[in-house]
Amino acid sequence: MSRLRATTNATEQANLCARLRTVAGPEAVPVLTPLLQDPLTAHAALHALEVVPGHEVTAALHAALAQATGAVRLAIVQTLGLRGDPASAAHLAPLLGPSDPALLAATSLALARIGSAEAEAALERAWIRLGPQGARLIAPAVLLLADMRRSAGQTSEALAWFERLMSSDQPAAIRRAAWIGKLRSAGPRLLEEAAQALTGSDPEAIPAVLALWPEWPVEARTALAIHALSRAGPLTQAAALAHLEYGAGPETAPAVRQLIHEGEPPVRVAAIRALAVVGDASDTELLLQRAAHGVGAEQEAARWALAHMAHPGVTPALIEQLRRASGSVQLELVRVLSARHDTAAVPPLIHVVRTGPASAQSAALRALIELAGPAEFAPLVRWIAEVSQAEVRREGVEFFQRWLERLDPRSLDPSPLLEAMTTTAGDTAVALHQIAGWLRHEGVRAAIRRALTAADPARRSLALEALTQTRDPALLPDLVRECEKTQNPKQRARLFEAAIRLLSEHAATAPESEESRVTALRLLAVADTPALRRLGLSVLPRFPHPDTLRAVEQLRRDDPTVRAEAESASCQLASALADSWSPAEDILATLAAEGTTPAIRAQAADRLRQLHSGWQVAGPYRVQGREGPALFDVPFPPEETGTQQIAWRTKPAASPNQPGHVDLTDLQPGDHCVLYARTGVYAPVNLPVLLRIGSDDGIKLWINGRLVHAHNAIRGLVRGQDHAPAHLQRGWNTLLVKLTQHTAGCGFWIEILRPDGSPIPDLVWDPRGRESQGP
């Protein structure tokens, strides 16, 4: 307050008022009141005074109101309303005049918030005196006052105001709000008032009823729905039907059914949908006829209602009708039972599959993909074993493929399938063996392997058919062996494709598998056509290994028909191996210079630039029982002189534009260890530099063997956390970083700048240093 008295700066005064609001008491009134006369500070002073209790504030505001004009007067009026002191009504009432609409609206709202008898009387006098136009301006305030009376239990006073506001002279939004207030005040007369609103002449009454509809008990909703459906106009009927989704009693159903037959088109559609809520099993036949034979919106509404009817007798009724239905009604029943997702429908759906026409059969199979469970495996196998039509058999095989993808194969008993496989022949046996290929089950696996060694060529041919369809990774070795053995080119191609598919799926979950890599190379060795070699090359990049890259490189050099694909695979493999296997870098250099497409040349060149902008990393190093910070001053081989061999591996920088930024987290060093990183930096001249360094966690940095920075810390990496001066000599400079790893992330960011912080454009970073062909 002392500072507020002393200053005349309006901005400072406003800031001090804001601070006073949280602590001020009556003693602040003499300090804040003078500020009400200045438009620059009045609002800030009012903001502080608004929450100060006591009559002193109210009296000060009354005095200021008498002197104020314009925006300041409006603000004082609003503040008096917010304070709600009944004594303010007498000071506000004279302002309820027509000359200033903004003041009239603000004053009426302030009086409504005060809500005293005197304030209400002032509003009533103004309502009468101002006429229709003025009444529109104070209607929001009157609405607020009426709702306050309703909340206080003064129902008759509230209703009187709501009735006034429902006058046709008022805006639509005011009339609708007044109807809502009237209905909420109706008490035991709610149904009578709501029914009058639904069938009356005021268009704003109907939205008011519908807005309150979800709040009312189900008995009230039911009675109102019956009234509206029997007496209201089409638009109201459609709206009431839509609101039945909030729930209504079964007593509503007869009126809904009548409108399905007699209502206008939009009403019929809404009535059909409403049966999902109020209908029962007896309505299913009517809805089925509309679903099967109706058109447009009515047909869609009937299908929706059948799928969503909640009455417990609906599904049994639909199943019973399915047993005797035919034609389009049967097809519709299959669709509906599928949409209801009720497994009770599975047996009758299987019956349709066995006996129904083609269209219903197809629909039933689509439904069974989601509904059928392991218990239905045996009857469905028996069905497909009996099918004689080729098209139906093909559709059945497709069904099994999609269905078995959803089921856990361990939950199935394959005995019915194994038995059928041995007792059928021809196309049926082929279909059953295709299905067997999709089962990942030991019994099926053993049966296929027995058939592969059988003397009977027909049995062996069926086993090969199962292999070409298999999704069982345990059969991958069998696929590869058969690929290597067969002399039939078409059969080899099918087996090869199946093996590549399985290998791809397995590589997605176990890319580092040595067995999978060897399998991929065996397959490439038997690929005797360009098409098969391309297919083999498509999967090899998933197995980065020097042997894989050598095999791909041989194809790149020897087979011009697949050179483009081999170059792509080589580039991917070499990019993955370049950090750990130096010949991969030479292959990238060859591809960057000799690649047959611009894309391959650019990809190889980009990877080389990334490699040459990177670092070489060694570690992690540990000492049993010591945490990361305790290892900061422990020397490990990379910082010791001598001839000890150190395993350095390449680690690219975060980007070629940030050669000193390296994230080591993906190396998975673990916790409480040390990592080392080294690179070379070429400087065109001798020059002093400023090092800007960030690290996670502690860091030491040597340049040309001289320690230039050390900070033992536990922290996350932030750019420029530390600064240190240093010197670069003309030519190549060796940078060695020691990084302590505590927990979580691991990395560093080193920037080399001029002493004034500006960049040095001529520096070259390359981990090969003097060994490179650099400047």
Side-chain angles (χ1 to χ4, degrees), residues 98-150:
S99 60
D100 187 339
L103 182 61
L104 174 60
T107 302
S108 62
L109 278 173
L111 287 167
R113 288 191 176 103
I114 292 170
S116 64
E118 186 178 356
E120 183 173 8
L123 286 171
E124 186 165 10
R125 290 193 300 271
W127 181 277
I128 297 169
R129 184 178 72 252
L130 293 170
Q133 285 298 108
R136 289 169 70 95
L137 290 172
I138 68 172
V142 171
L143 186 62
L144 173 62
L145 177 65
D147 207 49
M148 289 169 58
R149 293 290 183 259
R150 181 189 63 81

Side-chain angles (χ1 to χ4, degrees), residues 605-619:
D606 285 347
R607 182 66 174 105
L608 285 171
R609 279 194 295 271
Q610 188 181 38
L611 284 169
H612 297 163
S613 71
W615 295 64
Q616 293 175 339
V617 180

